[in-house]
Amino acid sequence: KFWRSLASDPGFSRRFRAHHRRNPPLIGCLVYDFCQVRFQPTLERPNRVPQSRFPFPIAAGGRFRILGCRHGLVLIFHDSQKQLLVWDPVTRDQHSLDIPPGFNKKTLMNAAVRRAIGDFHHFQVVLVGNSDMQCTQAVASVYSSSTRVWDKLISTPLPSENSGAPTMVYPGMPAVMVGDSFYWLLCGNSQGILEFDLDKQSLALIPMPMGNTADMRDGNIWVMLAEGGGLGFVFLRGFLVQLWKRRTSCKGVASWLLGRTVELDKLLSLNLEKQIECPRILGFAEVNNVVLLWTLTGIFTVQFELLHFKKVLESKHWYSYYPFEGVYTAGMNYFLKMQHGVYLPI
């Protein structure tokens, strides 16, 4: 009774949330090795989550793409059924969503999921792609599980040059949430960043600084939270990392600013003579603000603002990794999900 009274005290709940808000762990990654998806834990014992804890809901051999993880949910595009699948690995709940009209299914699409604000049991999905009426327009729509309907389409023009290749949402990078906006990389005819503002319900194109888009197809650019907050991206060429930040002047003019430059071989103590392949960016964990980085030595999480790093996995191959964040006590089979900075028990 004494411990129960302590745990139910509002002061304890407030301090507990404040403690974990500062340091919510990356408990593991969903790893797609081009044959199947497995959960790969990253925590040390006794907090290590069993690898079999989160069995993937689609059988090996199925045609699908993982679009990202957020707030304890995993978003999947089921290509065989032309549907989106929202999967809760903890409760194993699944919600299938049909693609709404207005999207060009012959071009690339991407999407993002988040828990609904103030309602832990509901979620929202933002779908982006090219218009089926005009490929030079990007369109977006928001699905709410509380209403079970897609909102009306929102559109914005895309660059149109006579190159024969339309500008599309880049499928190799999940959306990154900064503030109340989702961001995706664009590829094809023109590179840039597509922004969807959840508050304003608006879609906009943000150009990239010139000279840094050539290596996008090699996975060397990743949108992330900038130092000090706001939109940024990390650009990796060889063993050199550049951290860029979007800033707005007092006159309201937005531009890109090159911030810190980091030499990975020195930070991670890599022996360049043995590194026959350059590092690659595998993903970004939003809550921890860490980049998942592959090297021949292993997979590291790197927090560039503090220059902290940790080797979390051994791997000689750079598969697709999708960071999964939360708090889990393996011995008690108890899980806490993060919703907008607050952990809630299931």
Side-chain angles (χ1 to χ4, degrees), residues 157-197:
L158 292 171
S160 56
E161 298 178 3
N162 297 322
S163 65
T167 300
M168 297 179 289
V169 182
Y170 179 56
M173 190 200 85
V176 173
M177 190 174 185
V178 179
D180 290 316
S181 295
F182 284 124
Y183 297 92
W184 294 266
L185 283 177
L186 295 173
C187 64
N189 178 42
S190 177
Q191 280 80 47
I193 296 175
L194 187 66
E195 176 192 39
F196 184 83
D197 191 309

Side-chain angles (χ1 to χ4, degrees), residues 39 49-58 72-74 76 85-96 115 120 123 324 328 333 335 337 346:
F39 175 75
V49 182
Q51 192 170 20
S52 59
R53 180 65 177 86
F54 304 137
F56 196 66
I58 300 176
L73 298 174
V74 181
I76 305 164
L85 178 66
V86 179
W87 171 48
D88 188 326
V90 180
T91 64
R92 302 189 182 181
D93 289 340
Q94 300 179 32
H95 304 269
S96 296
R115 296 279 182 181
F120 179 73
F123 61 85
F324 194 83
Y328 177 88
N333 197 28
F335 194 90
K337 289 181 183 175
I346 299 177

Side-chain angles (χ1 to χ4, degrees), residues 10-188:
F12 171 81
S13 179
R14 184 172 58 253
R15 292 190 298 273
F16 180 85
R17 291 195 298 267
H19 171 75
H20 285 292
R21 186 183 301 123
R22 290 193 299 267
N23 190 28
L26 171 66
I27 66 170
C29 297
L30 294 175
V31 183
Y32 179 43
D33 61 7
F34 311 116
C35 294
Q36 62 181 354
V37 176
R38 69 181 188 277
F39 175 75
Q40 182 65 53
T42 55
L43 295 179
E44 302 293 336
R45 290 182 173 82
N47 297 318
R48 191 176 182 84
V49 182
Q51 192 170 20
S52 59
R53 180 65 177 86
F54 304 137
F56 196 66
I58 300 176
R63 295 173 56 193
F64 62 88
R65 280 194 295 124
I66 299 178
L67 302 181
C69 310
R70 185 173 294 101
H71 300 161
L73 298 174
V74 181
L75 185 61
I76 305 164
F77 178 64
H78 204 309
D79 190 56
S80 303
Q81 302 178 9
K82 299 299 180 184
Q83 288 182 326
L84 293 170
L85 178 66
V86 179
W87 171 48
D88 188 326
V90 180
T91 64
R92 302 189 182 181
D93 289 340
Q94 300 179 32
H95 304 269
S96 296
L97 314 177
D98 291 325
I99 303 298
F103 286 83
N104 188 333
K105 297 181 177 62
K106 294 181 180 180
T107 59
L108 299 172
M109 290 182 285
N110 213 323
V113 65
R114 74 164 185 175
R115 296 279 182 181
I117 296 177
D119 189 350
F120 179 73
H121 299 288
H122 288 286
F123 61 85
Q124 293 175 307
V125 172
V126 180
L127 177 66
V128 293
N130 293 76
S131 168
D132 63 353
M133 301 293 291
Q134 192 174 7
C135 274
T136 55
Q137 273 200 333
V139 290
S141 183
V142 181
Y143 175 88
S144 172
S145 65
S146 59
T147 61
R148 298 185 180 181
V149 297
W150 289 94
D151 287 346
K152 64 179 182 180
L153 287 179
I154 300 168
S155 64
T156 191
L158 292 171
S160 56
E161 298 178 3
N162 297 322
S163 65
T167 300
M168 297 179 289
V169 182
Y170 179 56
M173 190 200 85
V176 173
M177 190 174 185
V178 179
D180 290 316
S181 295
F182 284 124
Y183 297 92
W184 294 266
L185 283 177
L186 295 173
C187 64

Side-chain angles (χ1 to χ4, degrees), residues 267-323:
L267 176 65
L268 305 179
S269 300
L270 301 176
N271 187 340
L272 292 183
E273 294 181 357
K274 296 183 179 180
Q275 298 294 320
I276 58 176
E277 289 192 56
C278 293
R280 291 181 179 270
I281 301 171
L282 298 179
F284 176 65
E286 293 176 353
V287 180
N288 288 274
N289 194 25
V290 296
V291 173
L292 205 64
L293 200 66
W294 175 88
T295 72
L296 279 176
T297 308
I299 296 176
F300 293 83
T301 56
V302 184
Q303 219 285 3
F304 284 108
E305 189 167 355
L306 301 175
L307 294 180
H308 289 174
F309 65 92
K310 180 182 179 182
K311 186 176 180 179
V312 292
L313 295 170
E314 297 281 353
S315 179
K316 296 296 183 182
H317 307 284
W318 46 278
Y319 297 132
S320 298
Y321 286 75
Y322 303 89

Side-chain angles (χ1 to χ4, degrees), residues 225-283:
L225 183 69
E227 291 191 44
L231 175 64
F233 72 86
V234 55
F235 176 65
L236 172 62
R237 174 178 287 150
F239 291 86
L240 191 67
V241 169
Q242 294 178 346
L243 301 175
W244 290 77
K245 179 177 181 178
R246 188 77 169 167
R247 66 172 184 178
T248 304
S249 68
C250 58
K251 296 182 179 180
V253 178
S255 61
W256 288 103
L257 174 68
L258 176 59
R260 184 179 307 197
T261 299
V262 180
E263 297 178 73
L264 283 180
D265 55 316
K266 295 181 179 179
L267 176 65
L268 305 179
S269 300
L270 301 176
N271 187 340
L272 292 183
E273 294 181 357
K274 296 183 179 180
Q275 298 294 320
I276 58 176
E277 289 192 56
C278 293
R280 291 181 179 270
I281 301 171
L282 298 179

